Amino acid sequence: MSNYVIQGATGDFEVVIGLEVHAQVTSNAKLFSGASTEFGAEPNAQVSLVDAAMPGMLPTINEECVRQAVRTGLAIGAEINKYSVFDRKNYFYADLPQGYQISQFKHPIVGEGTIVLDLEDGKTKHVGVERIHLEQDAGKSMHDQHPQYTYVDLNRSGVALMEIVSKPDMRSPEEAGAYLTKLRTIVRYIGACDGNMEQGSMRADVNVSVRRPGEGLGTRCEIKNVNSIRFVRQAIEVEARRQVDIIEDGGSIDQETRLFDPVKGETRSMRSKEEAHDYRYFPDPDLLPLEFDDAFIDAARESLPELPDAKKARFMTELGLNDYNASVLVAEGETADFYEAFLAAVVNKTGKKPAEVAAKAANWVLSDLFGALNKAGLTISESPVGAVAGAELLALIEDGTISGRIAKDVFEVMFSTGKSAETIVEEQGLKQVSDTGEIEKIIDAVIAANPNQLAQYRSGKDKLIGFFVGQVMKETGGKANPGLVNQLLKPKLDG
Amino acid sequence: MSDIDKATVAKIARLARIRIEDDKLEPLAGELNGIMGWIEQLNEVNTDDIAPMASVVNAKLRWREDVVNDGDKQDSVLKNAPRAEYGFFAVPKVIE
């Protein structure tokens, strides 16, 4: 996977990628005001006079935003800075009423940490995080509503963002995608950010440069505001190719800000923002340094749930799940929680040990349940079949009441009607037939009805046993215990 | 030490969106250099091992609880806007 190379006319190039991810902190109120952060309100209805930058208004920091930044830092094993400073980042834009963004420049709240990427074939890669700092979001501009005017909505203005800055440790579009995926999983697990990229709760600035293997870092371009994991991968591919072409034509890369256009599949220079790079940071005189003690950090640490890497390791070592199943189950906290509740219910119903039924339970969740949910366009929290109801079905297979094949039919009915597995089995008479006498009667009848096949079988075509098994299953509507059928059939066929 | 020239003044003014007539740039550069030179006297003081002072009073940053107790005042927010439409600020078109 790290062998991603761009083949140029004059040789191979590698790509060097760093990501700056803006993640909206989950909080009720904004970073420095008491206005709501809720998505989708009427324009300018969630704006305080602080957010609108009216003269004389003073910012007051929201403790929850501080706590969430600390929790995120702890979740990636980062250094937490008990002393950090808010600075003003100065630039003019219509959706930034203050004329500056309150951010953290020299002294961020979180220092260096690490994110472990899950790559193909169960491989992992460690990517460094340089820092996480807290800052304000800007408002939203709409340029296409009026021929002469740009409309500005300040509802987002002042909402808390964490800017999570990676080191330039990634070497392929896939690694960048895996980084974003993992980061998103972590912030969603701990509840620091909802990770919703469509609504803009998470977006990435992607730094891309290319070099021939062994060379120092090339000049980078920053692709702004990419809002899906797929687009991040595509943007890197086209930008790296663009840079290689320029270098091979004897040109040089200008360090600049670019925009990814997914429709045209290209990146474009954003010349309008060039001058804005002179931000003239200085400590915000309205805010004293942000300080907290070890007790605050300890409380934040104690509030963290089991993190995805730890959960995956536990699923593999304690429950014996394979790498793939464990990865898929832990990718979303909701899925992992459902699986654990389901497994506990199965253990409860069957009296078996977790490790004995864990793999079967995982397969059922990932193929049967997920298959049905995907088809119906539902999420796991909307599943018509809950953990306990599902466990009842699996228990019926485990104790031999129904076969695995019948279970699939029962599950379909459960999914569409919400009835319990036991009720469906009872109502439709689907209990597996394990009565030797009854099965023998059916076998005798099947053999009697197919003398030709019997003769062929006896003359050496012993694969025909499958045909007889099929006929018996058909006669019983799939209810005969298949193990028992095989056991009884063979001596009768052999005569 | 201070070497604020005419071009620097013009650049700072542009970044701050302040219009300054050409003939005012030179005198302003002189004034700014005077101010900077005056401030630079502070460099004579040895500040090794002294933490930067954030406030002249012994105060700590005040924190607020994560409670929504503000907003819902679209009218007040838009009251001073030269132009507002449909609840939005309407500003001269920003060309991307």
Side-chain angles (χ1 to χ4, degrees), chain A residues 27-29 32-36 42-49 52 54 60-64 66 83 86 92-94 142-154 270 272-273 275 278 280 287-292 296, chain B residues 10-18 51-96:
Chain A
S27 63
N28 300 316
F32 294 115
S33 86
S36 171
E42 287 291 299
N44 293 307
Q46 293 175 174
V47 182
S48 80
L49 299 181
M54 293 296 170
T60 312
I61 192 145
N62 181 338
E63 64 173 0
E64 179 64 7
V66 177
Y83 175 98
F86 286 102
F92 281 101
Y93 202 74
M142 293 154 79
H143 306 292
D144 54 0
Q145 303 292 307
H146 191 285
Q148 279 110 47
Y149 296 98
T150 290
Y151 284 169
V152 179
D153 173 12
L154 297 182
M270 294 171 75
S272 58
K273 298 252 168 161
E275 203 177 57
D278 198 345
R280 296 149 293 142
L287 289 159
L288 288 160
L290 173 58
E291 293 174 278
F292 43 79
F296 183 78
Chain B
K11 186 185 170 197
I12 295 167
R14 190 173 65 247
L15 286 171
R17 301 295 189 274
I18 298 171
M53 184 178 68
S55 168
V56 289
V57 289
N58 188 17
K60 293 274 178 204
L61 180 68
R62 214 157 59 81
W63 294 30
R64 58 178 296 131
E65 281 179 36
D66 184 27
V67 175
V68 175
N69 55 13
D70 204 345
D72 197 16
K73 47 175 66 135
Q74 194 196 56
D75 290 346
S76 312
V77 167
L78 296 172
K79 197 172 171 189
N80 296 313
R83 192 181 182 102
E85 286 179 9
Y86 310 109
F88 293 95
F89 291 91
V91 303
K93 196 141 199 138
V94 182
I95 298 146
E96 275 296 287

Side-chain angles (χ1 to χ4, degrees), chain A residues 74 78 83 112 156 175 178 182 220 286 352 390-391 394 442 462 479 487:
Chain A
L74 293 169
Y83 175 98
E112 292 190 13
R156 293 188 67 97
E175 287 183 2
K182 191 55 170 288
R220 67 188 159 83
D286 286 344
K352 295 193 176 172
L394 212 71
I442 295 163
D462 49 5
K479 287 182 292 180
Q487 197 188 318

Side-chain angles (χ1 to χ4, degrees), chain A residues 234-249:
Chain A
Q234 290 174 359
I236 292 167
E237 273 176 41
V238 300
E239 175 60 18
R241 168 51 65 183
R242 185 189 73 89
Q243 293 184 13
V244 166
D245 289 347
I246 290 174
I247 292 169
E248 294 208 306
D249 285 349

Side-chain angles (χ1 to χ4, degrees), chain A residues 23 25 31-32 61-70 84-87 101-105 107-110 131-137 159-164 290 292:
Chain A
V25 178
L31 180 55
F32 294 115
I61 192 145
N62 181 338
E63 64 173 0
E64 179 64 7
C65 301
V66 177
R67 202 177 75 90
Q68 292 292 23
V70 170
S84 65
V85 176
F86 286 102
D87 299 282
Q101 176 193 35
I102 304 178
S103 181
Q104 297 189 299
F105 187 53
H107 302 283
I109 184 167
V110 175
R131 58 187 282 163
I132 301 176
H133 63 254
L134 279 168
E135 63 184 27
Q136 298 175 300
D137 203 350
V159 168
L161 302 178
M162 292 183 281
E163 180 169 331
I164 303 158
L290 173 58
F292 43 79

Side-chain angles (χ1 to χ4, degrees), chain A residues 6-60:
Chain A
I6 301 136
Q7 289 171 332
T10 59
D12 289 348
F13 286 80
E14 72 172 359
V15 60
V16 176
I17 306 152
L19 260 64
E20 292 166 22
V21 176
H22 290 90
Q24 183 182 326
V25 178
T26 301
S27 63
N28 300 316
K30 293 180 180 181
L31 180 55
F32 294 115
S33 86
S36 171
T37 60
E38 209 162 310
F39 184 78
E42 287 291 299
N44 293 307
Q46 293 175 174
V47 182
S48 80
L49 299 181
V50 178
D51 310 317
M54 293 296 170
M57 295 294 112
L58 286 173
T60 312

